């Protein structure tokens, strides 16, 4: 019996505008299966009538759309190695876990995916050995700002503010996005320019001073519509100045970066997992702390083609994948070997490959969320 293939795509990803049944990635899987999918696109009206369903998460930024569908039962997520497809699927899997539901991620080559589809294997059992209890760290009675609110796709990343204060001594403070936008009104140049990116840094620096912040996270995709720019350069510079600064309003990522800064003197690289090939993992994002890199250049933001993004090369050294859970009860810390810096056009701009024998098992079976922090080992 053929499998039903549904798909979810973010409108920001223009390169995914073609129907999924025309994608070479899907055609290769069908060739390995020896049969065609029944393609439903984004019409989920018949989803509940069949158990043989696969949801193709075509791009990042789709997690909120998945949540809004109200899908029940077990969920199988198909991912590609492009356009933050895998990262979005990890956030969805973490959301399912938090709500006591089962899911699995199909990822790899077309042949590997076809084998997993044919075998109808269920979700792998999470290995608790990946995790350790969160160790309380005194961050010095710091105030951490949330400018705007967490992005809509962060459906498994909403920690309790009071618990964060009890564990880390931090007070999380919500700050309206209007505070940034009002400051940008004094900028007389074109907000779409490099100077506009620098003006966003200046405005965020003023907010840091006014609220006495020791770190911040910002709902940065809102800047695409309002300023036609991004916060990538600003966050790279703030992190290099010792102010942990996270993208997309991600509070667990910010807390993880603040702890990493306390332990290592480095805020760490907040990034998405883009692809897994054996023991090698590719992570990417459009910003990276400028004090972590041996060199960097400027490009446009990946999803929008706007603003100033950073393409950086990490310094040689020993790194690990680190993340505090949204529940603030456990954390993951997996040592990795830095192996390379790809330059692919269909991914966020700073791209790194790392090697680990155990990280793939964690990231595909029991991820805490999509964003993880690459930080020096501590």
């Amino acid at each position: 019996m053929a499998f039903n293939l549904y798909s979810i795509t973010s409108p920001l990803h223009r390169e995914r505008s073609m129907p999924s049944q025309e994608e070479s990635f899907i055609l290769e899987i069908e060739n390995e299966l020896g049969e065609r999918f029944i393609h439903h696109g984004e019409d989920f009206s018949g989803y509940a009538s069949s158990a043989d369903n696969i949801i193709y998460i075509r791009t990042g930024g789709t997690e909120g759309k998945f949540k809004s569908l109200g899908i029940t039962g077990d969920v199988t997520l198909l991912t590609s190695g492009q356009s933050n497809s895998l990262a979005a699927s990890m956030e969805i899997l973490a959301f399912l876990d938090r709500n006591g539901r089962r899911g699995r991620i199909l990822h790899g080559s077309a042949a590997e995916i076809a084998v997993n589809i044919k075998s109808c294997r269920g979700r792998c059992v999470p290995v608790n050995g990946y995790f350790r209890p969160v160790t309380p760290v005194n961050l010095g009675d710091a105030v951490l700002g949330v400018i705007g609110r967490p992005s809509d796709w962060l459906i498994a990343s909403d920690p309790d503010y009071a618990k964060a204060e009890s564990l880390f001594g931090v007070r999380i403070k919500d700050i309206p996005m209007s505070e940034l936008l009002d400051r940008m009104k004094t900028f007389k140049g074109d907000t779409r320019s490099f100077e506009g990116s620098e003006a966003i840094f200046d405005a965020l620096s003023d907010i840091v001073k006014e609220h006495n912040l020791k770190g911040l996270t910002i709902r940065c995709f809102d800047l695409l519509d309002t300023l036609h720019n991004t916060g990538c350069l600003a966050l790279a510079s703030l992190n290099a100045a010792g102010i942990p600064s996270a993208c997309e309003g991600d509070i667990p990522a910010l807390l993880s970066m603040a702890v990493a800064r306390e332990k290592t003197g480095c805020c760490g690289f907040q990034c998405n997992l883009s692809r897994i090939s054996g023991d090698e993992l590719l992570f990417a994002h459009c910003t990276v702390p400028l004090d972590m890199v041996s060199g960097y250049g400027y490009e446009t933001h990946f999803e929008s083609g706007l603003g100033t993004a950073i393409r950086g090369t990490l310094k040689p050294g020993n790194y690990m994948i680190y993340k505090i859970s949204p529940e603030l009860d456990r954390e993951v810390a997996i040592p990795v070997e830095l192996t390379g810096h790809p330059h692919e056009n269909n991914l966020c701009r700073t791209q790194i490959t790392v090697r680990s024998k155990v990280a793939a098992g964690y990231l595909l079976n029991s991820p805490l969320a999509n964003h993880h922090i690459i930080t020096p080992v501590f």
Side-chain angles (χ1 to χ4, degrees):
M1 182 175 179
F3 284 84
N4 297 289
L5 187 69
Y6 299 82
S7 63
I8 310 178
T9 311
S10 167
L12 280 174
H13 289 261
R14 295 182 297 273
E15 77 280 7
R16 293 296 193 183
S17 59
M18 72 168 66
S20 60
Q21 57 263 42
E22 297 178 10
E23 272 192 67
S24 59
F25 172 66
I26 298 299
L27 294 172
E28 289 170 8
I29 296 172
E30 291 177 329
N31 183 59
E32 294 289 342
L33 283 172
E35 61 180 315
R36 298 275 294 179
F37 291 117
I38 302 173
H39 292 269
H40 297 271
E42 299 204 7
D43 179 6
F44 282 78
S45 59
Y47 185 90
S49 63
S50 174
D52 298 317
N53 299 323
I54 297 171
I55 303 176
Y56 178 23
I57 305 300
R58 301 179 77 191
T59 71
T62 48
E63 300 93 321
K65 294 177 70 173
F66 171 87
K67 182 179 178 181
S68 70
L69 291 170
I71 291 170
T72 60
D74 295 353
V75 175
T76 296
L77 304 171
L78 173 62
T79 73
S80 71
Q82 302 179 21
S83 302
N84 292 324
S85 166
L86 179 53
S89 298
M90 289 164 55
E91 183 79 10
I92 293 170
L93 190 59
F95 167 77
L96 294 172
D97 282 346
R98 291 185 73 183
N99 288 277
R101 297 176 56 196
R102 294 189 301 171
R104 64 169 176 156
I105 291 176
L106 299 172
H107 182 77
S109 67
E112 290 169 334
I113 290 171
V115 167
N116 286 332
I117 291 174
K118 288 178 180 178
S119 67
C120 295
R121 288 203 298 258
R123 179 180 179 276
C124 297
V125 177
V127 180
N128 291 328
Y130 295 126
F131 304 110
R132 64 191 187 194
V134 167
T135 301
V137 177
N138 187 345
L139 297 176
D141 195 28
V143 179
L144 303 179
V146 181
I147 302 174
R149 61 185 189 277
S151 294
D152 295 341
W153 49 83
L154 297 181
I155 58 177
S157 301
D158 52 342
D160 181 85
Y161 285 16
K163 188 172 183 179
E165 185 169 7
S166 68
L167 286 171
F168 306 113
V170 298
R171 182 165 63 91
I172 300 176
K173 183 177 184 179
D174 293 318
I175 300 171
M177 180 65 77
S178 59
E179 289 205 19
L180 172 64
L181 298 180
D182 287 346
R183 284 173 169 81
M184 287 297 296
K185 291 177 181 178
T186 65
F187 175 65
K188 302 305 181 183
D190 186 345
T191 59
R192 298 171 295 182
S193 65
F194 183 83
E195 289 74 19
S197 299
E198 293 181 313
I200 293 171
F201 168 70
D202 292 338
L204 287 175
S205 298
D206 287 344
I207 291 173
V208 167
K209 293 176 183 177
E210 179 174 327
H211 293 277
N212 194 28
L213 301 181
K214 300 300 182 184
L216 63 87
T217 183
I218 180 171
R219 187 182 167 96
C220 47
F221 274 73
D222 283 10
L223 303 182
L224 299 178
D225 292 329
T226 55
L227 302 177
H228 306 290
N229 208 320
T230 72
C232 304
L233 176 61
L235 299 184
S237 301
L238 285 167
N239 278 313
I243 304 295
S245 301
C247 310
E248 302 170 39
D250 192 328
I251 301 169
L254 172 59
L255 290 169
S256 302
M257 295 169 76
V259 170
R261 177 73 187 178
E262 182 71 17
K263 295 283 190 178
T264 70
C266 175
C267 297
F269 172 33
Q270 176 192 351
C271 51
N272 293 319
L273 177 64
S274 297
R275 190 180 309 141
I276 297 175
S277 179
D279 292 341
E280 192 164 80
L281 305 94
L282 193 161
F283 288 90
H285 226 201
C286 281
T287 186
V288 63
L290 296 182
D291 61 339
M292 283 188 74
V293 299
S294 58
Y296 64 92
Y298 301 121
E299 292 199 22
T300 56
H301 179 245
F302 165 53
E303 288 93 341
S304 66
L306 300 174
T308 307
I310 309 297
R311 184 189 291 278
T313 301
L314 263 62
K315 297 175 182 177
N318 298 318
Y319 292 93
M320 68 182 186
I321 300 169
Y322 180 64
K323 185 65 179 289
I324 296 171
S325 72
E327 298 82 7
L328 309 182
D329 59 348
R330 55 193 173 141
E331 61 188 18
V332 66
I334 302 175
V336 295
E337 175 191 357
L338 180 65
T339 58
H341 294 85
H343 285 170
E344 299 186 22
N345 291 329
N346 59 3
L347 295 173
C348 295
R349 305 314 189 186
T350 292
Q351 303 166 22
I352 66 168
T353 53
V354 300
R355 182 174 293 120
S356 165
K357 292 187 178 298
V358 301
Y362 154 69
L363 292 161
L364 288 179
N365 297 320
S366 51
L368 294 175
N370 64 341
H371 293 136
H372 284 73
I373 312 303
I374 301 296
T375 178
V377 172
F378 60 87

